Amino acid sequence: MEMSQAFFRAVAECGANIIIAHTKEHEIIYASPTVRSFGYEPEDLIGNTIQPFIHREDWRLVDAVIAECMETPNTPASVGDIRARSKGEDWVWLHGQYIFFVGLEGEDILVFVGANVTDRKKAEIKAMELQAAVEQSTEGIAVADMDGVLTFANTAWARMHGYEVEELQGKNLSTFHTPDQMRLDVLPFINKTLEAGSFRGEVGHVRKDGTTFPAWHSGGMLKNESGEATAIMAVIYDITARKNAEIELKKREIMYRTLVEQSLQGVGIIRNEPVKVVYCNPALEEMLGRSARDLRALSIQELAELVHPNDYPELAARFLDRLAGKKVDPHQIVRVYKKDGTLMWLETVCQVIPHEGSPATLGLCRDITDRRRLEENLRQTRKMEAIGTLAGGIAHNLNNILYPIMGYTEMAVDDIPKGSAAAHNLQEVLIAINRAKDLVHQILAFAHKSKEQHAATELGPIVHEVVRLMRGTLPATIKITQDISNEAPAVMADPSLAHQALVNLCTNAFHAMRDKGGELEVSLEEALLRPEEVPDFALPPGRYSKISVRDTGAGIDPMIMDRIFEPYFTTRDVGDGTGMGLSEAHAFARNCGGDVRAVSTPGKGSLFEIYLPAIEQKRSKAMDAAPAAKDNETILLAESDPQIRKMNTQVLTRLGYSVHAEANGKEALDALANSPGRFDLIITELHMPIMTGAQLARDAKAMQPDLPVVLCTGFAEALTLQEAQDMGVDGVIKKPMRKKDVALVVRSVLDAR
């Protein structure tokens, strides 16, 4: 027995197998020297339990095999492949079996006999992983023998062609191609593979249902150890989606190109280095008045000359910043010269893009010349509104100054002998005051702060005044002549607007002759329109006053003749005029029941004629005298300006009225409340501190409804009678007003009670 144990121990010590013996309680009592293959010395294991050295996922199997062995002693039981922990904490694979010996060396012993199969197991795992990768690949993979018969095809290959994997075994490669595909794609693929050993390219395939699809092929030859080709391997990828995307991309490219070509927005591409126009669409060609061919032929210097000198530095700086990769605001407004030399405003958006492998600048352009002109006109309008507001304040103060001057002058005239030198001088003062009054009205009309006040108007003085104004303002290169008839009939018009309309026509004529000089002729005469002439004027036959303005300037292009009276239409540069002069003159004539006729010959000058309907003006001598008061009538006067209050008191007193004057509306209202029935009329200033004239009128009417109120104003509102009546006012005195006109207003209001 001892000899037998020694023999078996010698076999264990010298053999290649790994032998580990342990008790039923799993304590290791023997380990062969072969445990060194995974890092242990035998003594490292002896005395330890075996369980910690077995992978926990494999221990359940080992434990079950141990239980099986203990039931059948001396009979081996296979454990298969299990993982054991190496000394380096890695796992090694062992393949072996267990034997249970009863009473060996005096006790029951379990013996594991196995081999280290780690290398084989790793190779198997790698092969399994490769097989799984091939099976799970989204690319179709197939292997065929040299006759083209399939020996392997993965799931993706089968799915692409509409087969189950089991159906593919033994099929020839020609199954997956149409005859044309075989001729055009597959045979060249095989030949190139045989020649070069590999091939990459597009090959057409056919599915089980007969439909075809394009595939990208990557293939090669499989060779044996002798280098002899034994099989063909093909890897394919269905590129239907990519091909469809390419088709869709091509469609989109065509669509976008069409959109760009048909766009109303200018589109251009400039190569950055060297700078060169490489593309421009038809809209940009039309904007610049140049063909794409002409633009592509321009040098960098010629391109720079297209841009206004004041805008070029900023444009160039931004261009260089983009080249340097700096962040630049893409939006910019620049002025550009068209081929005919005219200047246009372009709103641009630029960004760097790749173009044919090189960086380039894409520019989107929009012609905003009309918008800039409208913006300029809007600024001009707002400026005029500001001027109008200022003019309104000035007019109020001037009227308040002129009113007492006029009143005191008229009273002085009444107090001195008729025909005296002083009386003559004072009459001249009154004439000057009236001219100042008209001037204020003209200022307000110019600033659009006064409403049209149509009245019987003699045009002769207005035309004389405008000619004098033109002589003082136009350069000596413009010769001015006049022909003003005293027989021209009166018309119903606002004198200030008539003045402004004539100034506009003369100014327009000056601009036509500004560069070379010329002659300006202004005339006024009576005109009779006969029935046969009516179609040319769209006016009824009859008697008219005709104002003519003729110049020897550049004339008007026939192409724009029908637009010259449009608001804001102008051929001048932005900032040089508002385009409102002719439209205002046209509106004035139409509002008076007349019209404007324009005749022009390019290069020879223009003629504008304003036709205004004549009226019969009969002057009543009874109106020359100022009507006086009746029956001791009493007037309550509310005026905040002490000088005007004092002057108005004297004027009304001289007219025979009793006057009670107060400095503001509240004091006047208190006087009315304290003396009910005493006053026959209230005259109140419109703008007063504490209480306005409008508020005084409303409160007075509430206390005494039949008490008339006359409003006195020198402000720019220029109230109409209807507007005054809406405020509860019965009459309006507009500062400065002559004594007889004041008397007429007061008398008419009192007589209407």
Side-chain angles (χ1 to χ4, degrees), residues 262-303:
Q262 300 300 321
S263 174
L264 298 178
Q265 184 173 235
V267 181
I269 300 176
I270 297 179
R271 187 176 59 208
N272 291 350
E273 294 181 5
V275 175
K276 204 76 173 174
V277 174
V278 293
Y279 173 79
C280 65
N281 72 339
L284 188 59
E285 290 180 281
E286 184 177 354
M287 285 181 192
L288 300 177
R290 300 171 184 269
S291 68
R293 181 177 181 180
D294 290 342
L295 289 169
R296 287 194 295 267
L298 293 177
S299 66
I300 183 172
Q301 181 61 36
E302 290 170 330
L303 284 171

Side-chain angles (χ1 to χ4, degrees), residues 327-342:
K327 187 176 181 180
V328 180
D329 184 357
H331 298 83
Q332 189 176 2
I333 294 176
V334 296
R335 287 165 291 178
V336 175
Y337 292 102
K338 300 175 72 171
K339 189 172 184 178
D340 61 6
T342 58

Side-chain angles (χ1 to χ4, degrees), residues 378-643:
L378 179 60
R379 282 192 291 271
Q380 182 70 12
T381 300
R382 289 176 175 170
K383 181 169 68 175
M384 294 306 298
E385 289 175 353
I387 292 174
T389 301
L390 177 62
I394 294 173
H396 175 67
N397 291 327
L398 283 176
N399 285 334
N400 280 340
I401 292 170
L402 291 174
Y403 192 25
I405 296 174
M406 178 178 284
Y408 283 119
T409 302
E410 287 189 317
M411 287 187 288
V413 169
D414 292 340
D415 293 340
I416 62 177
K418 305 298 181 186
S420 64
H424 175 75
N425 292 339
L426 290 175
Q427 287 294 341
E428 291 297 323
V429 172
L430 288 174
I431 292 172
I433 293 171
N434 280 316
R435 289 185 64 187
K437 174 184 174 182
D438 290 341
L439 179 61
V440 171
H441 190 57
Q442 291 170 15
I443 292 172
L444 292 175
F446 177 75
H448 306 291
K449 279 291 183 178
S450 67
K451 298 179 178 65
E452 291 189 33
Q453 302 292 321
H454 284 197
T457 302
E458 297 285 348
L459 294 175
I462 295 174
V463 178
H464 277 293
E465 178 66 26
V466 171
V467 171
R468 282 198 299 270
L469 176 64
M470 291 296 106
R471 290 188 191 279
T473 56
L474 298 187
T477 55
I478 307 297
K479 179 183 177 182
I480 302 176
T481 61
Q482 66 182 44
D483 184 7
I484 303 172
S485 172
N486 294 327
E487 302 301 322
V491 298
M492 287 297 294
D494 186 318
S496 63
L497 295 185
H499 184 280
Q500 185 61 44
L502 185 52
V503 167
N504 287 344
L505 291 181
C506 291
T507 302
N508 189 70
F510 157 65
H511 278 283
M513 301 183 290
R514 178 168 53 181
D515 295 335
K516 298 181 179 179
E519 182 176 348
L520 172 63
E521 179 185 341
V522 182
S523 64
L524 171 67
E525 61 183 326
E526 179 182 4
L528 293 175
L529 288 184
R530 298 176 178 83
E532 63 270 18
E533 297 175 309
V534 168
D536 294 335
F537 295 93
L539 291 174
R543 187 164 168 254
Y544 292 83
S545 268
K546 181 177 73 171
I547 302 174
S548 301
V549 176
R550 184 191 303 273
D551 68 73
T552 59
I556 302 171
D557 187 341
M559 298 295 292
I560 64 171
M561 196 67 180
D562 59 345
R563 298 190 61 193
I564 59 175
F565 294 119
E566 292 181 9
Y568 299 115
F569 177 76
T570 179
T571 57
R572 304 176 200 164
D573 292 338
V574 174
D576 186 13
T578 64
M580 290 296 292
L582 292 181
S583 65
E584 288 179 348
H586 185 262
F588 161 73
R590 286 295 183 88
N591 290 340
C592 293
D595 206 346
V596 179
R597 185 177 77 159
V599 180
S600 181
T601 302
K604 294 185 178 180
S606 303
L607 168 65
F608 287 87
E609 296 175 330
I610 298 179
Y611 286 80
L612 302 177
I615 62 170
E616 296 297 333
Q617 187 178 23
K618 294 183 180 180
R619 184 176 181 82
S620 173
K621 293 184 178 179
M623 298 298 289
D624 289 338
K630 301 177 183 178
D631 303 325
N632 296 320
E633 293 163 314
T634 303
I635 295 175
L636 175 59
L637 176 65
E639 172 61 60
S640 60
D641 188 306
Q643 190 177 36

